[in-house]
Structures are given as C-alpha cells and as structure tokens.
Amino acid sequence: MSNHRLKRFTIWVAAPLTGLLLGAASLQAVPMAPNVLRVGVVDGSQPCSYREGGAWQGLAVRLWSQIAQRERIPYVLQPMPSIRAMLEATRKGGLDVAVECINLSPDRLRRYRFSLPFQEDGQALMVISNPFSLGQAFLSALFSGTLLRLLLVTLVLTLALTGSVWWVEEQPERRAMGWRQQLRGFSRVFAVMVTGSGDDAVVTTSRGRALVLLAYLVRLIVSAVLVGFLTVELVQEAQGRAGRRVQRLSDLAGLRVGLKPGTVSETLVHEINRSSGTDQAVIVPIARIDQALNALGREQIDVMLADELQLRYLIASNQSPNIIPVLAIQGIRPELQGFALSPSLPADLVRRIDLAISELKRSGVVQDLHRQALAGSEELNQDSRNGD
C-alpha cells in the first residue's frame, strides 16, 4: 500500500474514533441532571392533602413543597387511590416519596421507610348531636345540682347582708312595728340588696352603704360565675348527649364506623373486632374526609374514626346548622407522623430531607402550617356563611 493511501486510511479510521473519545470526554465534563422524584399524594385527606381547583393543597403538601424548594429537589406529583396503595408503591419503588400525614405505627415501621416525623397526632371519634341537644342541655343545666347549690349559697349571702343592713340601720320606730310590718321592711331591704336600686330609701348610714356596696360586688361575682357555669355546662351536656353512646372503644361493637380505607383507623377497628366476639363493628369506607359529616347527617354511619386533626378540621368547616359534630373520644393512640420514603432513595438525599424537616420544625414553619390548616377551614366556613 502506498504512503498516500496509508495516510488516507489512517485519517478515515482515526477521525471517527477521535470524535467518539471527545464526545465521551465532553459528557463526563457536563454534570448529569438530578433525577426527578416521583411524589405520591392522596386526595380527600383534609387538611393534610387534597386537590382543590386543580391544585394540590394541604399541610403535608405545602411542607413537602418547602422542603423541595429549600433543597432544590425536582419532583412530580402522582395521585394515588389510597394511603395503602401509596405506601406499597413507595416500598416497591414505584414512588420515591409518599406525602401525607402518615402515622408511624409499629406495623408500618417494620415494613416501610420513613422520614423524620414532623408532627404527632392521635385518632378520635366524631358523632353528631341533634338540633334539640342544646335546648335539652339548657334544661338539664337549669336543674343540675351544682347550679342549685350555687343559687342557695347566693341566697344565704344575700339574706345575711340584708339582715346586717336591717340591724345596722337604727330605726327606733322598728321596735314599735308589728311583725308583719317588720317583714315588709325586711323584704324591701332584701329587694334593694338583690336589685341594687332604691338603696337611698332604706340606707342612711355609712356602714349601711358599705354593706350595699358589698352586696353589689357579690352580685357581680355571682353573675360572672353563673354565666361561665351555664356556658360550660351547656357545651359539656350537649357533647355528653351526643357521645353518650360511645364512651370507650369497646362501644364501637355493633355500630357502623366510617373511616378512610388503608389507614391506621381501619387497623384499629379490625383489632377491636377480633377482641369483641360476635358483636362486630361494621366498617363503612369513606373515600374523602369531607364526606364524613354528610354520611353522619344522613345516618349512613354512626361514628367517624379518623385523625383528630382531620376531625377538628371538619368541625371548624361545618356549614350545616342541622348538624352539630362533637368529638366523643379524643387522643386515641397518639403516634408520630411523617413521609414514607422509597428504600432505594439515596442516603444523602434522605439526610437532606430529614435536616430540612428538622429546621422547618425548629423555625416554627410546621406549627404555622398546622395553624393555617385549621384557620383556613374556619375562614372558608365564615366566607360561606357571609355569602362570599
């Protein structure tokens, strides 16, 4: 082969090889774009995660958004049908992160990987009271033994002050009066001590006026105590009437219990059924938390079992004057809550997520999100009532 042909062959072979080598070197020089995380969310879990107006809202969603923005983590939200399906998808690698207020129960801790917890919450039982409960509670409060004893003490104090004024005010003509006239005079002083008007007609001495002033202070204190007592008694009595049927978890036997499928609430009911014998609680699936009040009002369920935060959200956002929701039992099995993570998620990324959660908790962001979640439901309720 001639030198000329050898050079042409060398150039023809070497040029593509050189291009490949330079291309490989350029790919190594440019950093690879980070992977986009697949983040699962579940609708209808107010106030933690829900979809409104085409956008995902809620305490957990907003918290994850702040974490991702803080750590510059690209992600895409993927709706999931239930918490159980979302947890399984995370465990099997179908999702990288499950964003919800997920309870870190012992069973789940054995099966799934979790982030640092961002809050703690327990479960609660919600029932509804009928519109006549407040009237019944008011009558019960009026005839309660506590109120009668309070009124008796007030009467004794007023009679004592009346007798003191009657004794202090020297009325020489009083001795010459008959007992009926003295009784009418005593009644007039008693009326002054009770109402506070007309004291000039019965009191002329400084000691008598001091006693009238003391009676005025007693009336102020008693009035405040009575108002406070009736208010507390009405609330407690109304709640008691509504929740009288359910005072402990064992009372769920034989009742229709509404709950979201795949939650720790479902696990709890199954445990109760295993220990209750033949009388079983009937599980009624509730797809969305905001459907619970409607189901209770239509008597489709007897009680709703869910996270206490969710039920308080429902109470704050209730718009029906015919439904009075109350929490019959609170603080059931308090547990930490966090995000579920894929086992294949890099340890360095998990550490960054945990550090972000810790810093957001420390700075009060998580507490603010918790407060805003409930305040948002109250503002929505107020706007609806005002016709906005």
Side-chain angles (χ1 to χ4, degrees), residues 180-195:
R180 291 184 178 179
Q181 291 179 320
Q182 292 188 14
L183 182 60
R184 282 196 294 268
F186 186 86
S187 301
R188 186 169 61 254
V189 175
F190 179 78
V192 170
M193 304 303 280
V194 171
T195 62

Side-chain angles (χ1 to χ4, degrees), residues 57 73 149 194 234 237 271 338 340 362 368 370:
Q57 306 287 342
I73 302 173
R149 286 191 293 270
V194 171
L234 283 176
E237 182 66 21
E271 293 179 9
R362 185 177 185 180
D368 288 341
H370 188 283

Side-chain angles (χ1 to χ4, degrees), residues 2 39 55 91 114-115 142 147 171 192 206 238 251 305 312:
S2 64
V39 177
R91 183 177 66 87
F114 289 98
S115 69
L142 286 180
L147 180 60
Q171 300 177 9
V192 170
S206 58
D251 294 337
L305 176 62
R312 290 194 179 279

